[in-house]
Amino acid sequence: MEAPGNVATGQGDPVKEQADSSPINPATLQGSDEDPSAKDGEPTLHDGPSLDTTVSPEAAAKAADTGAEPNKSTESSHQSSEARKRKLDEFDETNGSSLPPRKKGVASIKPEFLIQKPAEPAGAEHVPSEKATDRRQKSKGQNTNRSFGSSRDALPLCMSRQRAPEFSPKQCQFGDVCKYEHDLRKYLKDGKRDDLSTFGGGCPVHEALGRCSAGWRCRFVGSHSEERRLDDGRHELVLLDKATDEQKATNNTQPDDGEVDVGTLNIVTASAKIELKKKKFKTEKADKYTDWLNKITDHTHGPTAVGHRESEEIKEDNDAKADNRARYIEPPFMPSEKRRLYYGPETPVLAPLTTQGNLPFRRLCVELGAQVTWSEMAMSLPLIQGEKSEWALLKAHESEVTPPGRAKAMVVDEYDNSKDLKFGAQIAGSKPWVTLKATQVLTTLCPNLRAIDLNCGCPIDLVYRQGAGSALLDSHARLEKILRGMNAVSGEVPITTKIRMGVKDDKPTALKLVERLAFGSDYSADLGLGPAGVAAVTLHGRSRQQRYTKNADWGYISECAALIKELNEKKAARVDTGMDVDPRHLPSNDGGRMYFLGNGDCFSHVDYYEHIEQAKVDSVMVGRGALIKPWIFEEIETGQYLDKSSSERLRYIEKFVRYGLQTWGSDEIGVGTTRRFLLEWLSFACRYVPLGLLEHMPPKINDRAPIFRGRDDLETLLSSDNFKDWIKISEMFLGPAHPNFRFEPKHKSNAHTEIEG
């Protein structure tokens, strides 16, 4: 086994102070698609009550600002140890025979950190009660139809008063019959909760933009408002505007629906969404291409009903249909005319993650080294219907439109890294017409897209029953038709797809599908259509039936990678010799090659480079591993383990909260939204086991730890899987939850009891 490289340790191990100042002995570390949140069949982390490890907001804030832990032992002796790095010698899992053997599915914790359960009296036979048995049965699976309550002001302020000075409000269009509050002082006194004191009392939105879109509704309004004395002796409440001329120019171009814009791109105006809702948005290319596909399908009645003579007539008709493309307002781009992509070992990819893959989390991951990001999966039909919630998934931060990393010595034919960007959009759809419309609308309204990815791996029942997601794995002909149509209407934006091994465990179909995507089917060849022109394929090494249980099958991924390498070589040879493959139908990548990425269970830089070296994939897509420890991208970049201290992890949470308020707003609703998505992320982050506590390396993503205490109180709190403790963490930065706020964990194993604000 190759050496894992270095370990960079964080601060805060009062139990092993001497070990923190000396190299780590390897023997002490080493002995012998996407709903990403599914836990079916996984052992639970902490099967116990909420840990009594309360950390005050003041101590947490001090820890985040100074790097010290909010407990006495670390404040006194470990403030300077956080950045020290430790070198690991090459190791083998058979060494360290003095340690207990590694157990499958269990993270081995050093004995001094384990919390032992009270021993039962001698001779006592434990018989579980019916109540306990019922509770264990109820703790399996997921909570469906979750409700999060509401976070709203007691007296909602009228929009005509929201950003106006006290004595100069805008005219309310509803006049005296308006049901919202118009008295500003009454609203500030009785209508909203007290200002938050976190972040030094400063508003994250106002600090970034020089003004706050929430106005008087902001939970930090005291930091950007004042009372001024007028010439007539009256005192007027006014908002402070410190925006620069450049910021004001940007603010003036904001959408007219009150959305926050802190470095956010791909913002679609309310008027465009209304056009979509009223079916007034033109999608002529998608409509004409769909009609063309339907005519071919109707004329041929499928590939099996076509005779030799009839096939010749179809080819002639197909040539005539190809000539008819000139009637388009703008001829559809051929795949070879699209923007070129690049994937390599230096481009680790953040997977599209349902719920957790939101803009603040992606922004944090980009800071930590993610080179390619994807939006959450958006459904095609709600997109073309103008649904605001669906279009919100396509927003990108300005850091995501910067070029991805690439080895300076690497030369890729006609690839311009300066014109490339990190962010791409993933959509799902079951029918060609709706998917093509969504593709054209996306490329028209969202100019900052690296690529558009078609999801063919989502295992969720609701998506599968609609014929989308992993249901397309059993409909290769329909999938090929959808991808070819998306290529025709997407302009210069490349088309990619993410698939699974198959629908059933014992019936993998990815090998046949990959070959079909590379060369096209015999049916499409008879019609002169060529391959679908997919620029990249990502394979998740599980079936739809597996969802996220068991380990990803990297052996099967390796087989597909070998096949794609062979197919790419055949394509290049065919093009060079002028054989039957028209190069215009091939992806625009170097030599018409189709990139291939693997996905599943990547949890460290060791896993990442092992998959690239052994499975021969171009790059690896990281999903749950990034949710548990976002700094996995930093580990990949540096080639070493990073043992993050609790204060460092708390600072990542603080950044997420700041980015959340800048994305969803700093009013009561925005604070509630930020809290909800923070809690969703913490449901994964709590699974992280600090490296300094482990007996065996490398860590495995599916290993679950017995209940343990951390190296300090904050580390213990961050490791709790009880959502009451997640609420405590959120209150460090967002204050007490709104009385009507409710949070139900997605997984029943975390829902010891229900909690309200």
Side-chain angles (χ1 to χ4, degrees):
M1 182 178 295
E2 69 176 298
N6 295 340
V7 159
T9 61
Q11 67 172 21
D13 191 346
V15 178
K16 299 178 70 62
E17 181 176 352
Q18 184 176 358
D20 275 345
S21 59
S22 60
I24 292 179
N25 181 359
T28 65
L29 292 175
Q30 180 61 37
S32 44
D33 139 221
E34 199 91 6
D35 176 13
S37 61
K39 287 173 61 178
D40 302 10
E42 294 181 355
T44 57
L45 176 62
H46 293 304
D47 186 16
S50 173
L51 298 176
D52 187 13
T53 53
T54 304
V55 180
S56 68
E58 293 79 7
K62 182 177 180 181
D65 291 338
T66 65
E69 304 292 352
N71 70 16
K72 192 173 296 184
S73 60
T74 48
E75 287 177 0
S76 61
S77 62
H78 292 287
Q79 293 183 0
S80 62
S81 63
E82 184 173 293
R84 289 200 295 267
K85 297 179 180 179
R86 305 289 179 255
K87 181 71 175 179
L88 268 180
D89 297 326
E90 189 166 320
F91 68 90
D92 188 282
E93 290 201 1
T94 60
N95 293 335
S97 57
S98 61
L99 295 176
R102 186 167 192 165
K103 296 181 180 179
K104 184 178 180 180
V106 178
S108 299
I109 303 296
K110 295 178 181 178
E112 59 264 35
F113 295 105
L114 288 174
I115 297 178
Q116 302 295 337
K117 294 183 178 180
E120 295 186 2
E125 182 178 355
H126 177 68
V127 179
S129 63
E130 292 184 5
K131 184 176 180 181
T133 304
D134 292 342
R135 184 170 62 251
R136 283 198 299 271
Q137 291 175 349
K138 292 179 181 179
S139 67
K140 297 180 181 179
Q142 297 185 3
N143 288 313
T144 57
N145 300 321
R146 294 188 297 162
S147 174
F148 300 97
S150 63
S151 299
R152 296 182 180 274
D153 292 327
L155 296 175
L157 184 66
C158 179
M159 290 294 293
S160 64
R161 269 61 175 171
Q162 180 173 326
R163 300 185 187 92
E166 181 181 10
F167 300 147
S168 305
K170 296 180 180 179
Q171 184 68 31
C172 177
Q173 59 178 326
F174 300 102
D176 296 336
V177 298
C178 181
K179 61 180 181 180
Y180 297 113
E181 185 60 54
H182 285 201
D183 187 334
L184 180 59
R185 292 185 182 268
K186 181 179 179 182
Y187 166 77
L188 294 175
K189 180 181 179 181
D190 303 323
K192 67 188 292 288
R193 295 200 292 163
D194 294 338
D195 281 3
L196 295 174
S197 59
T198 54
F199 299 103
C203 172
V205 178
H206 190 268
E207 291 174 357
L209 295 178
R211 63 184 301 184
C212 178
S213 57
W216 296 108
R217 295 188 296 116
C218 176
R219 290 293 308 278
F220 302 88
V221 68
S223 65
H224 52 77
S225 65
E226 65 180 12
E227 188 177 54
R228 292 178 180 173
R229 180 182 177 87
L230 304 180
D231 294 338
D232 58 4
R234 294 185 301 169
H235 291 80
E236 182 183 28
L237 294 173
V238 296
L239 294 171
L240 302 179
D241 190 344
K242 298 181 180 180
T244 63
D245 293 339
E246 182 179 355
Q247 288 174 327
K248 289 179 179 179
T250 302
N251 291 341
N252 289 336
T253 61
Q254 284 188 24
D256 50 4
D257 53 4
E259 296 182 14
V260 184
D261 180 15
V262 181
T264 307
L265 304 173
N266 291 343
I267 297 180
V268 180
T269 62
S271 58
K273 295 171 188 173
I274 292 174
E275 283 189 4
L276 288 167
K277 193 178 291 289
K278 294 183 177 180
K279 300 181 180 180
K280 293 183 178 180
F281 195 95
K282 303 296 183 182
T283 55
E284 295 182 2
K285 287 171 63 176
D287 295 340
K288 291 182 179 180
Y289 199 90
T290 301
D291 291 341
W292 182 70
L293 288 175
N294 291 336
K295 288 178 182 178
I296 292 179
T297 303
D298 293 341
H299 185 72
T300 60
H301 302 290
T304 58
V306 180
H308 177 72
R309 182 176 177 182
E310 190 177 2
S311 177
E312 294 295 325
E313 296 175 357
I314 293 171
K315 288 184 178 180
E316 294 177 2
D317 185 61
N318 181 63
D319 292 338
K321 286 177 169 60
D323 293 336
N324 288 336
R325 292 178 182 175
R327 298 179 183 178
Y328 286 13
I329 297 176
E330 178 184 354
F333 278 80
M334 301 297 288
S336 60
E337 297 176 271
K338 297 183 181 297
R339 186 193 312 118
R340 293 208 167 192
L341 297 179
Y342 170 74
Y343 284 104
E346 63 277 12
T347 57
V349 181
L350 176 64
L353 302 166
T354 302
T355 305
Q356 285 87 359
N358 47 66
L359 188 149
F361 182 76
R362 298 197 311 268
R363 184 177 172 185
L364 176 63
C365 288
V366 168
E367 284 189 10
L368 294 172
Q371 297 302 319
V372 178
T373 62
W374 291 98
S375 71
E376 299 178 61
M377 181 187 71
M379 299 301 295
S380 295
L381 187 58
L383 283 177
I384 64 177
Q385 292 174 337
E387 293 292 337
K388 182 178 178 180
S389 58
E390 212 71 17
W391 278 102
L393 304 178
L394 282 307
K395 293 180 182 179
H397 187 257
E398 58 188 5
S399 63
E400 296 181 275
V401 300
T402 56
R406 184 173 63 90
K408 295 182 180 179
M410 179 70 66
V411 177
V412 182
D413 187 28
E414 296 185 24
Y415 169 73
D416 188 350
N417 181 257
S418 63
K419 295 182 179 179
D420 200 358
L421 56 155
K422 295 182 174 71
F423 178 75
Q426 188 187 68
I427 62 174
S430 60
K431 299 178 181 178
W433 72 268
V434 66
T435 314
L436 267 61
K437 277 181 175 288
T439 301
Q440 183 174 355
V441 171
L442 266 177
T443 54
T444 303
L445 298 180
C446 298
N448 300 287
L449 293 177
R450 184 179 203 252
I452 297 178
D453 186 82
L454 179 66
N455 183 300
C456 302
C458 180
I460 298 175
D461 291 339
L462 180 63
V463 176
Y464 182 80
R465 286 195 294 265
Q466 295 176 2
S470 55
L472 291 173
L473 298 176
D474 281 342
S475 303
H476 291 186
R478 178 155 51 101
L479 173 57
E480 183 184 1
K481 184 185 296 186
I482 291 174
L483 290 171
R484 180 177 289 107
M486 292 173 65
N487 256 313
V489 303
S490 64
E492 68 170 5
V493 181
I495 300 298
T496 66
T497 185
K498 186 171 186 284
I499 64 176
R500 283 185 175 236
M501 291 169 51
V503 175
K504 300 292 185 179
D505 280 347
D506 56 346
K507 295 181 180 179
T509 59
L511 281 169
K512 291 183 179 179
L513 178 57
V514 162
E515 185 171 5
R516 183 167 187 152
L517 294 179
F519 281 118
S521 63
D522 293 339
Y523 173 52
S524 61
D526 289 341
L527 296 176
L529 296 176
V534 178
V537 174
T538 302
L539 174 60
H540 185 173
R542 290 183 175 91
S543 66
R544 188 246 172 188
Q545 186 178 355
Q546 281 181 264
R547 294 179 68 91
Y548 296 89
T549 61
K550 303 180 182 179
N551 294 326
D553 190 346
W554 277 91
Y556 189 84
I557 294 176
S558 179
E559 291 182 43
C560 291
L563 175 64
I564 286 184
K565 181 180 179 181
E566 179 183 348
L567 296 177
N568 283 331
E569 292 173 352
K570 287 183 178 179
K571 277 192 294 187
R574 281 178 148 184
V575 173
D576 290 341
T577 57
M579 294 178 67
D580 56 335
V581 175
D582 188 337
R584 296 177 302 165
H585 293 281
L586 298 176
S588 60
N589 301 323
D590 187 18
R593 69 173 293 185
M594 184 170 68
Y595 285 107
F596 183 65
L597 291 78
N599 172 230
D601 298 347
C602 182
F603 197 43
S604 68
H605 66 287
V606 174
D607 294 338
Y608 182 85
Y609 289 110
E610 183 179 272
H611 295 329
I612 289 179
E613 179 66 25
Q614 297 182 8
K616 305 299 182 183
V617 294
D618 293 304
S619 185
V620 177
M621 181 178 284
V622 185
R624 289 180 299 162
L627 290 172
I628 296 172
K629 56 171 191 179
W631 57 92
I632 185 175
F633 299 105
E634 192 178 354
E635 290 186 343
I636 292 171
E637 182 178 358
T638 60
Q640 64 181 8
Y641 289 111
L642 298 174
D643 188 9
K644 297 289 184 176
S645 67
S646 57
S647 61
E648 288 178 291
R649 293 166 62 190
L650 191 68
R651 279 196 290 274
Y652 294 147
I653 295 174
E654 179 189 17
K655 279 190 175 183
F656 178 90
V657 173
R658 181 183 295 274
Y659 297 159
L661 295 174
Q662 292 177 352
T663 300
W664 296 304
S666 55
D667 60 348
E668 191 68 70
I669 296 176
V671 169
T673 303
T674 301
R675 190 190 307 274
R676 180 256 167 124
F677 284 106
L678 172 62
L679 297 177
E680 299 281 12
W681 174 35
L682 291 177
S683 70
F684 283 90
C686 70
R687 301 187 195 180
Y688 175 70
V689 181
L691 297 181
L693 277 61
L694 289 174
E695 287 186 322
H696 298 280
M697 296 285 280
K700 300 293 184 181
I701 194 170
N702 290 325
D703 286 357
R704 295 293 176 263
I707 188 168
F708 65 90
R709 63 172 57 86
R711 293 168 290 192
D712 53 68
D713 291 344
L714 181 57
E715 193 167 76
T716 305
L717 180 65
L718 292 173
S719 300
S720 171
D721 75 336
N722 191 309
F723 73 108
K724 290 183 178 181
D725 292 321
W726 309 341
I727 293 282
K728 293 180 185 179
I729 296 170
S730 74
E731 290 176 345
M732 295 179 184
F733 304 104
L734 296 171
H738 190 280
N740 295 331
F741 177 83
R742 297 175 64 245
F743 182 76
E744 242 181 314
K746 191 168 188 177
H747 301 110
K748 294 180 180 179
S749 59
N750 300 123
H752 300 285
T753 55
E754 186 177 317
I755 192 168
E756 297 186 2

